[in-house]
Amino acid sequence: MNQQKQNGNLIAIITMFFLFAMISFVTNLAAPFGTIWKNQYAGANTLGMMGNMMNFLAYLFMGIPAGNMLVKIGYKKTALIGMAVGFIGLLIQYFSSITGADVDVFNMGEYAIKLNFVIYLLGAFICGFCVCMLNTVVNPMLNLLGGGGNRGNQLIQAGGALNSLSGTLTPLFVGVLIGTVTPETAMSDVSPLLFIAMGVFVFSFIVILFVAIPEPHLSKSGTAKVKHPHSPLSFRHTVLGVICIFIYVGIEIGIPGTLNFYLADPSEKGAGILINGAAIGGAIAAIYWLLMLVGRLASSAISGKVSTRTQLTAVSATAIVFTLLAIFIPKSVGVNVPSFIYNPQEKTTEILTNAGVPADQVAAYIANPGSVDLTPYADNLKKEADMAPEDMVRSLETPKVPVSAFLLVLCGLCTSIMWGGIFNLAVEGLGKYTAQASGLFMMMVVGGGILPLVQQVISDAAGYMASYWLIIAMFAYVLFYGLVGCKNVNKDIPVE
């Protein structure tokens, strides 16, 4: 009997890990897609981050209902509904690539907002409902299957490792599909990824449909509804933890999202990478998510011996140091992009060939740029790489990525353990109030939409690196929570 229960728990754990990966896959489409919309609206970072904002805004509306769904219909049905909603959201985003580009809906300042952008935002909002429901299922389920405490945190961190792997691949794939962001870049360029995502949802739906999942919080028919004298908000450490989740998700999304915009911006305000900025930005952002994978694997290995509180305190303090260094180190201090990410001669040859330059002139230009007049191909070069003929010589230079970017990427090691750590500390000692608390946490994930948007407003006004002062302030709160705020001072409240 015990062996059968262990096998059932193992299948349930693997299923939750799979859902964790799906959450990241859908969520991390928004930021790299934003580089497309940002370019179409003349480099407006705030508009570029609106898809991400809509994705996370859905949590505000769906957090409590998702928690209630766990109680009323259970983990499995909630996950299945989430998958179906996700498919619909991705399908609507695809529609934004084939319709509405020529239809003005309203004006926002100097920008005429097109119908296709509105359709995309609607799809991102619906996808937000999907990931909210899946998140509501995954976190308490893994904590429960691990038995709470450090073991529960260990399972959440292990599942988060797959979440990070998916997050690593998503911006990388989008960056490869986009390459260099030009006036011609559109959502249709990334439609293959949307089709893949929809296919994964269909596959996931079928898998979960046939997997048995424990339903510890499912209401039994005929059982009278019990009104508890307290709620999760009766616990100080939970209230502060809810705020901490709001802030943490803003950090997790804001760091790579703004970094992606910074590296993809070829102007003096940005990193100044003229060619393949989106692809390079996607590759660097992918390293951030890869380091989150490394951090979560490391945390899952040590969580049985090192307390969650110690881990949270250490990484938040370290992240503050990394971010401070990133702000103060000049942009001119950089590292050459490896040739496997950007090969100057191969890329220049590709651009010139696609612009209609004859092969012999391409070879001559590679050997001596001053020997070939590219003026006749000016229009094609503008469409292909958003470059003037006289700027093409810069495509033969190896781009430099500022050291600041790598320091911000290193923050991925620190943020990697924060979600699981905060959740684990905030629900410790809640007992019967845990499922209800999960809904509150899901509402606060809206911070991943609001705070990065605030960061983009700062970025538009004061510059990319200046916007990271907001990140430092948020890391400081996480440090406070690890040191003081996570202590349960309400142990007198009965939770059985």
Side-chain angles (χ1 to χ4, degrees):
M1 188 68 178
N2 287 337
Q3 182 65 36
Q4 188 176 15
K5 182 179 179 181
Q6 288 178 1
N7 290 338
N9 282 350
L10 179 60
I11 294 173
I13 290 170
I14 293 172
T15 304
M16 293 303 109
F17 284 178
F18 191 72
L19 289 182
F20 233 140
M22 289 302 303
I23 291 167
S24 179
F25 187 79
V26 175
T27 301
N28 285 289
L29 288 173
F33 281 3
T35 60
I36 298 175
W37 297 108
K38 168 192 168 183
N39 183 68
Q40 294 194 2
Y41 288 99
N45 291 327
T46 305
L47 288 177
M49 192 59 79
M50 280 301 296
N52 180 76
M53 169 63 183
M54 295 301 290
N55 194 286
F56 282 94
L57 183 63
Y59 282 86
L60 185 62
F61 298 95
M62 195 64 200
I64 295 296
N68 292 335
M69 287 172 69
L70 290 188
V71 177
K72 293 180 180 179
I73 65 174
Y75 288 102
K76 182 172 182 174
K77 289 182 180 178
T78 302
L80 290 174
I81 292 172
M83 290 290 179
V85 170
F87 180 89
I88 294 170
L90 290 168
L91 185 62
I92 291 175
Q93 288 188 57
Y94 168 70
F95 285 149
S96 72
S97 70
I98 59 176
T99 186
D102 300 322
V103 181
D104 292 347
V105 179
F106 60 91
N107 291 326
M108 181 181 288
E110 61 183 292
Y111 304 108
I113 305 301
K114 305 290 185 181
L115 178 60
N116 63 339
F117 186 52
V118 175
I119 294 172
Y120 165 72
L121 293 181
L122 175 62
F125 186 61
I126 292 174
C127 278
F129 284 104
C130 157
V131 290
C132 179
M133 284 185 274
L134 297 183
N135 253 321
T136 307
V137 169
V138 166
N139 289 280
M141 189 66 186
L142 284 178
N143 197 54
L144 175 74
L145 291 169
N150 288 342
R151 173 61 179 162
N153 180 49
Q154 192 171 23
L155 275 185
I156 293 175
Q157 298 298 353
L162 281 179
N163 180 279
S164 298
L165 177 60
S166 179
T168 300
L169 297 176
T170 304
L172 189 61
F173 287 157
V174 176
V176 169
L177 288 172
I178 295 176
T180 302
V181 179
T182 75
E184 305 299 316
T185 306
M187 282 293 290
S188 56
D189 294 323
V190 293
S191 57
L193 202 59
L194 290 172
F195 285 123
I196 292 173
M198 284 186 276
V200 171
F201 268 126
V202 171
F203 174 76
S204 304
F205 186 95
I206 294 171
V207 170
I208 294 169
L209 187 64
F210 292 100
V211 171
I213 296 177
E215 304 285 2
H217 298 296
L218 184 60
S219 295
K220 303 294 188 296
S221 58
T223 302
K225 185 176 181 180
V226 178
K227 187 173 182 180
H228 299 298
H230 300 281
S231 76
L233 295 180
S234 301
F235 297 81
R236 191 197 73 166
H237 74 294
T238 303
V239 173
L240 295 177
V242 166
I243 297 171
C244 200
I245 284 289
F246 176 85
I247 288 172
Y248 158 69
V249 184
I251 294 171
E252 181 189 287
I253 302 300
I255 289 177
T258 301
L259 182 60
N260 209 339
F261 283 1
Y262 173 61
L263 295 173
D265 189 343
S267 69
E268 185 60 30
K269 180 182 177 183
I273 300 174
L274 193 63
I275 300 291
N276 259 31
I280 292 170
I284 300 299
I287 296 174
Y288 172 88
W289 296 106
L290 181 62
L291 289 178
M292 286 193 72
L293 166 64
V294 173
R296 283 169 171 167
L297 287 173
S299 178
S300 67
I302 68 173
S303 286
K305 298 178 180 178
V306 181
S307 74
T308 303
R309 184 181 173 195
T310 299
Q311 291 183 53
L312 188 62
T313 302
V315 297
S316 53
T318 303
I320 291 174
V321 174
F322 283 152
T323 310
L324 280 171
L325 289 172
I327 291 173
F328 285 109
I329 293 178
K331 181 174 66 176
S332 57
V333 180
V335 177
N336 287 339
V337 174
S339 59
F340 68 86
I341 294 177
Y342 181 85
N343 185 303
Q345 293 189 0
E346 288 182 3
K347 189 61 184 179
T348 304
T349 299
E350 177 189 333
I351 293 172
L352 295 177
T353 300
N354 292 342
V357 180
D360 58 333
Q361 292 188 42
V362 171
Y365 188 86
I366 298 296
N368 181 13
S371 65
V372 179
D373 180 16
L374 297 178
T375 305
Y377 310 100
D379 291 342
N380 291 342
L381 289 173
K382 181 70 175 176
K383 292 180 180 179
E384 180 65 24
D386 195 22
M387 294 178 66
E390 60 271 20
D391 292 331
M392 273 303 301
V393 66
R394 290 182 58 189
S395 72
L396 288 170
E397 301 172 2
T398 300
K400 277 191 174 183
V401 175
V403 167
S404 295
F406 292 103
L407 286 166
L408 292 172
V409 161
L410 284 174
C411 288
L413 284 171
C414 303
T415 58
S416 62
I417 68 109
M418 289 183 179
W419 171 272
I422 296 167
F423 185 91
N424 180 256
L425 291 171
V427 301
E428 192 67 27
L430 287 191
K432 61 188 176 185
Y433 299 110
T434 301
Q436 189 180 355
S438 182
L440 292 173
F441 284 115
M442 289 309 104
M443 281 185 66
M444 289 301 100
V445 173
V446 71
I450 294 174
L451 294 175
L453 194 64
V454 173
Q455 189 179 356
Q456 294 314 310
V457 172
I458 298 172
S459 173
D460 283 335
Y464 291 100
M465 285 300 117
S467 73
Y468 281 94
W469 282 109
L470 177 63
I471 298 293
I472 288 178
M474 293 191 287
F475 273 134
Y477 181 87
V478 178
L479 178 60
F480 156 77
Y481 186 72
L483 289 172
V484 179
C486 66
K487 296 178 181 178
N488 184 0
V489 297
N490 304 105
K491 293 182 179 180
D492 56 320
I493 298 176
V495 296
E496 295 301 326

